[in-house]
Amino acid sequence: DRFELILFAGAPSGPARQTVIGQAFSRSFMPRRIAVVGCGVSGTTAAFHARKTDRTAEITLIGDESLPEYSRCGLPYAFSGIVPSLEALIGHDEAFYEQTNRINLLLGWKCIRIDTHAQRIELARTADGREEARDYDSLILTTGARAGTLTVPGSDLKGVFTIRTMGDIDGLANYLEESKARKVAIIGAGLTGSEMAEALLHRGISVLEAEIVPEILPVILDSDMASIVRQRAEERGVEYHLQSSLEEILGRDGRVAAVRISGRKFDVDAVVLAVRIWPNTELASKAGITLGEYGGIRTNERMETSARNIYAAGDCIETYDRITRRYVFFQLATTAVRQALVAGVNAAGGDATYPGSTGVTTVKLFDLEVSSFGPTTVLAEKLGLHPVSVRVTGSTRLPYYPGGKDLTVKLLASPDDGRLLGAQIVGEEGATLRASFASMAGHLGLTVGEFAEIETCYSPPLAPVWDPVTIAAQALLRRLKGPIKAKARPVTVEGR
């Protein structure tokens, strides 16, 4: 009685009072309904962390593929045979979702509509089109992205592929084996195109790779750094055509037979389109959810969208870049899982924030580690940052100790305040961890002077007294106009 009076002072008496009390208790004890749309790494991460936050919630994870979450980043390695099978890329079996974590896994279902006012989603089964509706208390959109295509003559021929799903890789492998392919054209020399070039060579297939800009890997490396990777790839057999565009895919009997690139014809047996990745935002857009400048879903630091009780994470959103202080696409697994953790916690009633990303990236190509964070010089100039840069080559060991490897480091800094803007590191070993180290400095907003003063490990078998990254920072400090060692101020997240 006391509990009732405290909660419902002023409520009507008699049957009406009992109804009010019953409805309140019903709401109090009804499990929270959380729906996650998208069963990739961000969707799975969000669902798991929602479960950790709310042990009683009803969590439904919806994916339009027939498989649970698997590593898209691992697809080239399964294709090459370095990873023994495609199935090895699957993170968890269905029992782990449904029995261990009590997550209702709906595979082969596509979300086709969101009613943000009624808090309801409509689903369609991909196999037969059957539809059903589900109500939610919290909704997390992790709809990911899709591979871009090119609308050139012949793009509908058999033997033209994009690389995004396990089905794409399976289809490409089967086609190459069936057609006894000897040469493949890859259009685009970014991360995906470069990884696939190496994977094809590993399978004994010749590679022609075309890129519309003057150098490969243009999103993560300046030309002088990318050329190191390109020269190694050329030594391994990749045939590059830079500043070149695909004009036509030529066929024979409905299959790819050749490509025309910048006016020249090349005989090939298949084409892999590895151009830009587009965020899947149509569902959000139709629901009236705000999109950002580049067409991705806009979120705040709690991963909340403009719609009440709807969160988003992963490749479908625009991420706050802590270095350039703008919203961009960082379509990276590391970024996605951190955003998804925050979305899952908050959708389940917790309180977490995501501080933004430096875009730190690493890849292994032709036995080189290629790592970077921050904007390239070209992008920084476009943004008006006008960076000062330096490039040095050092060794991962002291000269007298055997086994040392060359490591080329390029650092970028702001000429105004000396803030570290980026790092690009290429070498046979040690680039990845050093990029993470430099990224931490960028994340904290350190100046080059502060970065140069950080003490690093030393042991003859493991690391030199002066690390190549430290040597680069010292050289960059000298190149700046006067030694800028002002205390780094906390990064201000504008408009958040």
Side-chain angles (χ1 to χ4, degrees):
D1 288 343
R2 182 172 178 273
F3 184 69
E4 179 184 318
L5 288 171
I6 291 171
L7 285 178
F8 301 103
S13 59
R17 180 183 181 83
Q18 294 174 0
T19 299
V20 170
I21 294 173
Q23 291 173 343
F25 271 91
S26 176
R27 287 195 299 270
S28 298
F29 293 103
M30 180 182 295
R32 188 193 312 267
R33 298 163 299 181
I34 302 173
V36 184
V37 177
C39 192
V41 65
S42 50
T44 296
T45 301
F48 287 165
H49 283 278
R51 170 56 70 223
K52 290 178 182 179
T53 306
D54 187 339
R55 298 291 182 179
T56 65
E58 293 179 357
I59 303 174
T60 302
L61 179 58
I62 303 156
D64 56 7
E65 293 186 61
S66 60
L67 296 169
E69 182 264 322
Y70 57 86
S71 172
R72 297 189 193 279
C73 298
L75 290 174
Y77 307 106
F79 174 76
S80 69
I82 294 173
V83 173
S85 68
L86 284 169
E87 290 71 24
L89 303 179
I90 298 174
H92 309 283
D93 60 20
E94 295 184 25
F96 186 78
Y97 291 89
E98 297 176 345
Q99 298 174 20
T100 305
N101 289 282
R102 292 178 291 112
I103 293 170
N104 180 25
L105 188 62
L106 279 185
L107 298 177
W109 287 82
K110 184 177 180 64
C111 184
I112 57 174
R113 194 170 299 107
I114 303 170
D115 186 332
T116 58
H117 300 291
Q119 296 200 166
R120 180 176 297 117
I121 55 175
E122 296 178 22
L123 309 176
R125 190 158 62 183
T126 55
D128 55 15
R130 174 190 148 198
E131 296 187 10
E132 66 174 57
R134 288 175 176 257
D135 295 331
Y136 65 84
D137 298 306
S138 297
L139 175 65
I140 306 174
L141 300 178
T142 59
T143 48
R146 62 188 182 276
T149 58
L150 295 173
T151 54
V152 298
S155 58
D156 57 347
L157 288 168
K158 191 173 182 181
V160 179
F161 296 88
T162 57
I163 303 300
R164 184 67 183 173
T165 69
M166 197 175 285
D168 294 337
I169 287 291
D170 201 32
L172 174 61
N174 290 337
Y175 183 84
L176 295 178
E177 185 175 350
E178 169 209 345
S179 62
K180 295 180 173 54
R182 292 181 296 178
K183 189 169 187 176
V184 172
I186 300 176
I187 310 304
L191 288 172
T192 299
S194 297
E195 288 175 327
M196 287 304 298
E198 184 177 31
L200 284 160
L201 289 177
H202 200 274
R203 291 177 67 115
I205 297 173
S206 298
V207 175
L208 175 156
E209 192 162 13
E211 173 57 59
I212 198 168
V213 297
E215 194 51 271
I216 71 170
L217 300 169
V219 173
I220 65 169
L221 295 180
D222 288 343
S223 293
D224 58 339
M225 297 296 287
S227 65
I228 301 171
V229 186
R230 175 176 51 77
Q231 288 166 15
R232 175 66 67 89
E234 288 173 335
E235 291 170 4
R236 300 292 172 87
V238 180
E239 175 188 340
Y240 284 106
H241 295 271
L242 303 175
Q243 291 184 288
S244 301
S245 58
L246 177 67
E247 297 172 344
E248 184 180 7
I249 303 174
L250 307 170
R252 185 184 306 112
D253 300 325
R255 291 172 172 260
V256 170
V259 291
R260 192 177 305 280
I261 295 174
S262 296
R264 298 176 61 191
K265 178 186 172 184
F266 302 92
D267 292 336
V268 296
D269 302 299
V271 175
V272 173
L273 300 177
V275 293
R276 76 168 287 181
I277 302 298
W278 296 94
N280 292 324
T281 57
E282 295 78 10
L283 180 67
S285 179
K286 289 178 182 177
I289 294 172
T290 299
L291 303 184
E293 180 182 356
Y294 300 102
I297 299 171
R298 174 61 66 89
T299 63
N300 62 15
E301 68 275 7
R302 288 176 48 82
M303 308 317 297
E304 295 169 319
T305 70
S306 62
R308 184 171 60 95
N309 296 327
I310 298 181
Y311 304 79
D315 289 354
C316 61
I317 79 165
E318 293 181 9
T319 297
Y320 182 75
D321 181 352
R322 291 181 65 88
I323 306 302
T324 65
R325 298 173 184 177
R326 56 198 273 273
Y327 285 87
V328 299
F329 284 124
F330 282 141
Q331 292 165 327
L332 303 166
T334 46
T335 302
V337 295
R338 284 164 173 77
Q339 294 168 345
L341 182 155
V342 172
V345 167
N346 292 333
D351 186 17
T353 57
Y354 177 70
S357 174
T358 65
V360 63
T361 303
T362 192
V363 64
K364 188 174 184 180
L365 295 171
F366 307 100
D367 296 321
L368 290 173
E369 291 184 33
V370 182
S371 307
S372 74
F373 91 89
T376 61
T377 299
V378 171
L379 177 56
E381 289 289 352
K382 286 182 180 178
L383 297 174
L385 297 175
H386 308 302
V388 177
S389 67
V390 69
R391 171 180 141 164
V392 303
T393 297
S395 176
T396 58
R397 305 282 193 283
L398 287 172
Y400 67 76
Y401 196 91
K405 304 292 184 182
D406 283 350
L407 196 68
T408 301
V409 179
K410 184 171 187 176
L411 299 180
L412 283 69
S414 166
D416 299 324
D417 58 9
R419 183 167 61 97
L420 184 65
L421 295 178
Q424 301 169 28
I425 309 175
V426 177
E428 291 187 358
E429 67 175 13
T432 301
L433 290 178
R434 286 171 171 86
S436 294
F437 169 60
S439 170
M440 180 173 65
H443 182 98
L444 296 173
L446 299 187
T447 65
V448 174
E450 290 168 323
F451 184 50
E453 290 172 350
I454 296 175
E455 192 168 334
T456 58
C457 295
Y458 159 63
S459 175
L462 301 172
V465 176
W466 293 106
D467 191 89
V469 171
T470 303
I471 294 171
Q474 293 169 339
L476 182 55
L477 191 59
R478 291 191 296 270
R479 183 162 293 184
L480 289 164
K481 292 181 180 178
I484 302 174
K485 294 189 179 183
K487 184 66 180 175
R489 296 177 294 278
V491 173
T492 301
V493 181
E494 299 173 358
R496 301 182 76 193

mmCIF file of all heavy atoms in Angstrom, residues 263-284:
data_model
loop_
_atom_site.group_PDB
_atom_site.id
_atom_site.type_symbol
_atom_site.label_atom_id
_atom_site.label_comp_id
_atom_site.label_asym_id
_atom_site.label_seq_id
_atom_site.Cartn_x
_atom_site.Cartn_y
_atom_site.Cartn_z
ATOM 1 N N GLY A 263 41.856 3.883 -73.627
ATOM 2 C CA GLY A 263 42.091 3.733 -75.052
ATOM 3 C C GLY A 263 42.873 2.505 -75.465
ATOM 4 O O GLY A 263 43.019 2.243 -76.662
ATOM 5 N N ARG A 264 43.352 1.713 -74.513
ATOM 6 C CA ARG A 264 44.134 0.521 -74.843
ATOM 7 C C ARG A 264 43.364 -0.736 -74.458
ATOM 8 O O ARG A 264 42.715 -0.783 -73.414
ATOM 9 C CB ARG A 264 45.477 0.545 -74.117
ATOM 10 C CG ARG A 264 46.356 1.715 -74.502
ATOM 11 C CD ARG A 264 47.635 1.722 -73.670
ATOM 12 N NE ARG A 264 48.421 0.507 -73.883
ATOM 13 C CZ ARG A 264 49.461 0.166 -73.122
ATOM 14 N NH1 ARG A 264 49.814 0.917 -72.092
ATOM 15 N NH2 ARG A 264 50.134 -0.932 -73.382
ATOM 16 N N LYS A 265 43.447 -1.742 -75.290
ATOM 17 C CA LYS A 265 42.746 -2.996 -75.063
ATOM 18 C C LYS A 265 43.698 -4.019 -74.442
ATOM 19 O O LYS A 265 44.838 -4.176 -74.872
ATOM 20 C CB LYS A 265 42.185 -3.542 -76.379
ATOM 21 C CG LYS A 265 41.474 -4.876 -76.257
ATOM 22 C CD LYS A 265 41.068 -5.409 -77.629
ATOM 23 C CE LYS A 265 40.536 -6.837 -77.534
ATOM 24 N NZ LYS A 265 40.235 -7.404 -78.860
ATOM 25 N N PHE A 266 43.178 -4.726 -73.429
ATOM 26 C CA PHE A 266 43.950 -5.773 -72.754
ATOM 27 C C PHE A 266 43.083 -7.020 -72.619
ATOM 28 O O PHE A 266 41.950 -6.938 -72.132
ATOM 29 C CB PHE A 266 44.399 -5.309 -71.365
ATOM 30 C CG PHE A 266 45.226 -4.061 -71.371
ATOM 31 C CD1 PHE A 266 44.629 -2.811 -71.234
ATOM 32 C CD2 PHE A 266 46.602 -4.129 -71.531
ATOM 33 C CE1 PHE A 266 45.380 -1.652 -71.234
ATOM 34 C CE2 PHE A 266 47.373 -2.974 -71.539
ATOM 35 C CZ PHE A 266 46.768 -1.732 -71.390
ATOM 36 N N ASP A 267 43.606 -8.147 -73.026
ATOM 37 C CA ASP A 267 42.877 -9.410 -72.887
ATOM 38 C C ASP A 267 42.926 -9.872 -71.433
ATOM 39 O O ASP A 267 44.005 -9.989 -70.828
ATOM 40 C CB ASP A 267 43.494 -10.487 -73.782
ATOM 41 C CG ASP A 267 43.300 -10.195 -75.265
ATOM 42 O OD1 ASP A 267 42.350 -9.461 -75.602
ATOM 43 O OD2 ASP A 267 44.114 -10.690 -76.074
ATOM 44 N N VAL A 268 41.748 -10.120 -70.862
ATOM 45 C CA VAL A 268 41.640 -10.636 -69.493
ATOM 46 C C VAL A 268 40.486 -11.634 -69.447
ATOM 47 O O VAL A 268 39.636 -11.671 -70.341
ATOM 48 C CB VAL A 268 41.387 -9.511 -68.461
ATOM 49 C CG1 VAL A 268 42.558 -8.542 -68.407
ATOM 50 C CG2 VAL A 268 40.100 -8.762 -68.763
ATOM 51 N N ASP A 269 40.455 -12.421 -68.390
ATOM 52 C CA ASP A 269 39.419 -13.440 -68.250
ATOM 53 C C ASP A 269 38.337 -13.062 -67.241
ATOM 54 O O ASP A 269 37.275 -13.708 -67.194
ATOM 55 C CB ASP A 269 40.055 -14.769 -67.815
ATOM 56 C CG ASP A 269 41.107 -15.221 -68.812
ATOM 57 O OD1 ASP A 269 40.750 -15.438 -69.975
ATOM 58 O OD2 ASP A 269 42.291 -15.329 -68.427
ATOM 59 N N ALA A 270 38.599 -12.045 -66.424
ATOM 60 C CA ALA A 270 37.618 -11.581 -65.439
ATOM 61 C C ALA A 270 37.985 -10.168 -65.012
ATOM 62 O O ALA A 270 39.119 -9.709 -65.224
ATOM 63 C CB ALA A 270 37.566 -12.516 -64.229
ATOM 64 N N VAL A 271 37.025 -9.492 -64.410
ATOM 65 C CA VAL A 271 37.225 -8.124 -63.932
ATOM 66 C C VAL A 271 36.746 -8.038 -62.486
ATOM 67 O O VAL A 271 35.643 -8.497 -62.157
ATOM 68 C CB VAL A 271 36.457 -7.098 -64.794
ATOM 69 C CG1 VAL A 271 36.593 -5.697 -64.209
ATOM 70 C CG2 VAL A 271 36.946 -7.132 -66.234
ATOM 71 N N VAL A 272 37.572 -7.470 -61.631
ATOM 72 C CA VAL A 272 37.183 -7.190 -60.251
ATOM 73 C C VAL A 272 37.087 -5.674 -60.086
ATOM 74 O O VAL A 272 38.069 -4.958 -60.299
ATOM 75 C CB VAL A 272 38.198 -7.768 -59.244
ATOM 76 C CG1 VAL A 272 37.859 -7.308 -57.822
ATOM 77 C CG2 VAL A 272 38.215 -9.289 -59.318
ATOM 78 N N LEU A 273 35.901 -5.193 -59.732
ATOM 79 C CA LEU A 273 35.689 -3.768 -59.502
ATOM 80 C C LEU A 273 35.944 -3.483 -58.022
ATOM 81 O O LEU A 273 35.220 -3.971 -57.150
ATOM 82 C CB LEU A 273 34.264 -3.364 -59.878
ATOM 83 C CG LEU A 273 33.862 -3.606 -61.336
ATOM 84 C CD1 LEU A 273 32.399 -3.227 -61.549
ATOM 85 C CD2 LEU A 273 34.765 -2.826 -62.285
ATOM 86 N N ALA A 274 36.978 -2.726 -57.744
ATOM 87 C CA ALA A 274 37.345 -2.397 -56.361
ATOM 88 C C ALA A 274 37.371 -0.886 -56.203
ATOM 89 O O ALA A 274 38.393 -0.289 -55.848
ATOM 90 C CB ALA A 274 38.694 -3.013 -56.010
ATOM 91 N N VAL A 275 36.243 -0.271 -56.535
ATOM 92 C CA VAL A 275 36.116 1.177 -56.412
ATOM 93 C C VAL A 275 35.480 1.491 -55.068
ATOM 94 O O VAL A 275 35.377 0.619 -54.211
ATOM 95 C CB VAL A 275 35.324 1.757 -57.595
ATOM 96 C CG1 VAL A 275 36.126 1.602 -58.879
ATOM 97 C CG2 VAL A 275 33.973 1.063 -57.758
ATOM 98 N N ARG A 276 34.999 2.705 -54.853
ATOM 99 C CA ARG A 276 34.618 3.136 -53.510
ATOM 100 C C ARG A 276 33.466 2.325 -52.930
ATOM 101 O O ARG A 276 32.696 1.699 -53.647
ATOM 102 C CB ARG A 276 34.279 4.624 -53.479
ATOM 103 C CG ARG A 276 32.937 5.014 -54.054
ATOM 104 C CD ARG A 276 32.589 6.455 -53.712
ATOM 105 N NE ARG A 276 32.219 6.630 -52.312
ATOM 106 C CZ ARG A 276 31.856 7.804 -51.787
ATOM 107 N NH1 ARG A 276 31.858 8.898 -52.532
ATOM 108 N NH2 ARG A 276 31.513 7.901 -50.517
ATOM 109 N N ILE A 277 33.374 2.353 -51.605
ATOM 110 C CA ILE A 277 32.331 1.668 -50.859
ATOM 111 C C ILE A 277 31.259 2.689 -50.492
ATOM 112 O O ILE A 277 31.560 3.774 -49.988
ATOM 113 C CB ILE A 277 32.909 1.030 -49.582
ATOM 114 C CG1 ILE A 277 34.031 0.057 -49.926
ATOM 115 C CG2 ILE A 277 31.825 0.315 -48.784
ATOM 116 C CD1 ILE A 277 33.613 -1.111 -50.768
ATOM 117 N N TRP A 278 29.993 2.333 -50.715
ATOM 118 C CA TRP A 278 28.881 3.245 -50.459
ATOM 119 C C TRP A 278 28.119 2.819 -49.206
ATOM 120 O O TRP A 278 27.784 1.645 -49.056
ATOM 121 C CB TRP A 278 27.918 3.275 -51.641
ATOM 122 C CG TRP A 278 28.542 3.826 -52.884
ATOM 123 C CD1 TRP A 278 29.136 3.135 -53.890
ATOM 124 C CD2 TRP A 278 28.647 5.210 -53.241
ATOM 125 N NE1 TRP A 278 29.613 3.983 -54.853
ATOM 126 C CE2 TRP A 278 29.326 5.263 -54.495
ATOM 127 C CE3 TRP A 278 28.238 6.399 -52.637
ATOM 128 C CZ2 TRP A 278 29.589 6.469 -55.128
ATOM 129 C CZ3 TRP A 278 28.514 7.604 -53.281
ATOM 130 C CH2 TRP A 278 29.175 7.630 -54.510
ATOM 131 N N PRO A 279 27.811 3.745 -48.308
ATOM 132 C CA PRO A 279 27.067 3.375 -47.094
ATOM 133 C C PRO A 279 25.624 3.012 -47.420
ATOM 134 O O PRO A 279 24.993 3.631 -48.289
ATOM 135 C CB PRO A 279 27.127 4.655 -46.251
ATOM 136 C CG PRO A 279 27.252 5.758 -47.260
ATOM 137 C CD PRO A 279 28.095 5.196 -48.382
ATOM 138 N N ASN A 280 25.098 2.036 -46.737
ATOM 139 C CA ASN A 280 23.698 1.633 -46.897
ATOM 140 C C ASN A 280 22.827 2.496 -45.988
ATOM 141 O O ASN A 280 22.620 2.174 -44.811
ATOM 142 C CB ASN A 280 23.522 0.153 -46.553
ATOM 143 C CG ASN A 280 24.208 -0.761 -47.550
ATOM 144 O OD1 ASN A 280 24.240 -0.482 -48.745
ATOM 145 N ND2 ASN A 280 24.775 -1.852 -47.069
ATOM 146 N N THR A 281 22.335 3.587 -46.522
ATOM 147 C CA THR A 281 21.573 4.547 -45.716
ATOM 148 C C THR A 281 20.152 4.760 -46.226
ATOM 149 O O THR A 281 19.443 5.621 -45.710
ATOM 150 C CB THR A 281 22.296 5.905 -45.695
ATOM 151 O OG1 THR A 281 22.481 6.352 -47.053
ATOM 152 C CG2 THR A 281 23.647 5.795 -45.016
ATOM 153 N N GLU A 282 19.736 3.984 -47.224
ATOM 154 C CA GLU A 282 18.407 4.195 -47.796
ATOM 155 C C GLU A 282 17.316 3.989 -46.751
ATOM 156 O O GLU A 282 16.335 4.737 -46.695
ATOM 157 C CB GLU A 282 18.186 3.253 -48.982
ATOM 158 C CG GLU A 282 19.099 3.505 -50.181
ATOM 159 C CD GLU A 282 20.502 2.970 -49.999
ATOM 160 O OE1 GLU A 282 20.746 2.221 -49.019
ATOM 161 O OE2 GLU A 282 21.367 3.292 -50.847
ATOM 162 N N LEU A 283 17.475 2.970 -45.919
ATOM 163 C CA LEU A 283 16.487 2.679 -44.882
ATOM 164 C C LEU A 283 16.367 3.850 -43.916
ATOM 165 O O LEU A 283 15.248 4.294 -43.582
ATOM 166 C CB LEU A 283 16.899 1.405 -44.135
ATOM 167 C CG LEU A 283 15.988 0.925 -43.013
ATOM 168 C CD1 LEU A 283 14.646 0.471 -43.575
ATOM 169 C CD2 LEU A 283 16.653 -0.217 -42.242
ATOM 170 N N ALA A 284 17.473 4.374 -43.468
ATOM 171 C CA ALA A 284 17.469 5.505 -42.548
ATOM 172 C C ALA A 284 16.904 6.752 -43.214
ATOM 173 O O ALA A 284 16.115 7.501 -42.615
ATOM 174 C CB ALA A 284 18.882 5.766 -42.044
#
